[in-house]
């Protein structure tokens, strides 16, 4: 029900606040769509579900559509959320890549990391040379690969495409918090999720990898799986979050 939540425009994007609950954690959600576009307001349906399922305030980060400005904006939004409590991180498509880039930047700068991060069909390699971009092009009706190449070139600008903060798949993944990666077996970005999960696991990072049959199966499962992951790792920090049974 909408009455159990309040949506307000915050300084770094729209925020979803649960009503009638003590909020112990924040979630920073970084939006993204198959065309590397969209706005933080497009993320509100997902943000509402995450807030309702976790009892967290969810901040939908606003960012400029160019690198490295986008990462700077997400970093500023994270600092804002971190002032209000421990932060769990989530991001989808380009937002998933930005979330992963944020983890690398925070780690390298010695800033406290989020308690965990959930990356949903993330774009983690702007070189765009993964086999799944070709092999799944016909099966993935959500993404036009030609458009993806054009938008990626515009977003990257003059940056080297394998720059780790732009393409976290090429980065050092040691020391990251627990990660969840979700993808569909038919997604053109499948290899980004698989490759990142494998490299993170080899670096000693706790990884929860979930590959769903197709986009429909992913859509049905991703919100519940993400919320459960965020709750579990927030609880591990000894700050309890509401369970589904408390809703």
């Amino acid at each position: 029900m909408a009455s159990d939540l309040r949506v307000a425009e915050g300084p770094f994007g729209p925020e979803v606040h649960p009503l009638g609950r003590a909020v112990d954690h924040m979630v920073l959600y970084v939006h993204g769509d198959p065309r590397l576009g969209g706005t933080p307001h497009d993320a509100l349906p997902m943000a509402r579900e995450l807030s309702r399922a976790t009892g967290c305030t969810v901040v939908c980060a606003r960012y400029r559509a160019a690198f490295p400005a986008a990462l700077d904006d997400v970093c500023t939004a994270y600092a804002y959320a971190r002032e209000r409590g421990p932060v769990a991180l989530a991001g989808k498509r380009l937002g998933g890549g930005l979330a992963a880039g944020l983890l690398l930047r925070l780690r390298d700068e010695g800033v406290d990391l989020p308690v965990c991060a959930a990356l949903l069909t993330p774009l983690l390699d702007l070189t765009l040379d993964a086999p799944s971009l070709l092999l799944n092009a016909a099966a993935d009706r959500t993404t036009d690969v030609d458009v993806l190449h054009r938008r990626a070139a515009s977003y990257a600008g003059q940056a080297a495409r394998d720059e780790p903060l732009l393409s976290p798949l090429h980065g050092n993944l040691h020391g990251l918090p627990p990660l969840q990666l979700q993808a569909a077996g038919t997604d053109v970005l499948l290899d980004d999720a698989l490759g990142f999960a494998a490299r993170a696991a080899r670096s000693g990072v706790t990884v929860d990898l979930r590959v769903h049959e197709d986009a429909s199966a992913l859509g049905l499962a991703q919100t519940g799986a993400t919320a459960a992951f965020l709750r579990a790792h927030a609880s591990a920090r000894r700050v309890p979050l509401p369970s589904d049974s408390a809703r």
Side-chain angles (χ1 to χ4, degrees):
M1 295 182 296
S3 60
D4 60 351
L5 302 171
R6 177 174 63 89
V7 179
E9 191 64 34
F12 300 101
E15 301 177 7
V16 180
H17 301 269
L19 299 178
R21 296 184 183 187
V23 176
D24 297 306
H25 278 66
M26 306 287 289
V27 174
L28 180 64
Y29 186 81
V30 191
H31 70 276
D33 69 15
R35 298 174 62 87
L36 307 192
T39 73
H41 292 86
D42 297 332
L44 281 174
M46 178 69 156
R48 288 188 181 98
E49 291 305 312
L50 287 179
S51 182
R52 186 173 289 117
T54 63
C56 295
T57 291
V58 181
V59 177
C60 301
R62 183 189 305 113
Y63 61 85
R64 289 165 283 179
F67 180 84
L71 185 58
D72 292 340
D73 293 343
V74 172
C75 190
T76 303
Y78 175 76
Y80 164 80
R82 185 66 185 85
E83 290 176 353
R84 287 151 181 78
V87 181
L89 185 61
K92 188 171 184 178
R93 299 277 183 175
L94 177 60
L98 278 167
L102 175 65
L103 294 177
L104 301 187
R105 177 168 167 174
L106 295 174
R107 180 204 60 197
D108 292 347
E109 293 179 352
V111 177
D112 286 343
L113 292 168
V115 298
C116 62
L119 310 179
L120 310 175
T121 44
L123 175 58
L124 297 163
D125 184 5
L126 268 288
T127 67
L128 298 179
D129 61 1
S132 60
L133 282 163
L134 175 63
L135 298 176
N136 282 350
D140 186 352
R141 295 175 179 267
T142 68
T143 305
D144 184 315
V145 174
D146 291 336
V147 171
L148 180 62
H149 276 275
R150 292 196 298 272
R151 293 294 180 88
S154 175
Y155 174 79
Q158 299 302 310
R161 292 293 191 91
D162 59 355
E163 154 63 43
L165 296 182
L166 174 66
S167 295
L169 182 60
H170 296 274
N172 172 3
L173 305 186
H174 286 84
L176 300 187
L179 301 173
Q180 182 184 77
L181 291 103
Q182 295 191 53
T186 55
D187 200 297
V188 294
L189 298 179
L190 172 64
D191 286 344
D192 285 37
L194 296 180
F196 196 83
R199 292 201 60 233
R202 286 196 294 268
S203 298
V205 178
T206 298
V207 177
D208 175 14
L209 173 65
R210 296 173 181 241
V211 179
H212 304 273
E213 180 180 2
D214 53 27
S216 295
L218 172 63
L220 290 171
Q222 66 178 355
T223 303
T226 301
F229 177 79
L230 300 182
R231 281 201 308 268
H233 288 283
S235 297
R237 293 296 184 96
R238 300 183 179 179
V239 181
L241 292 178
S243 66
D244 287 330
S245 62
R247 286 186 278 160

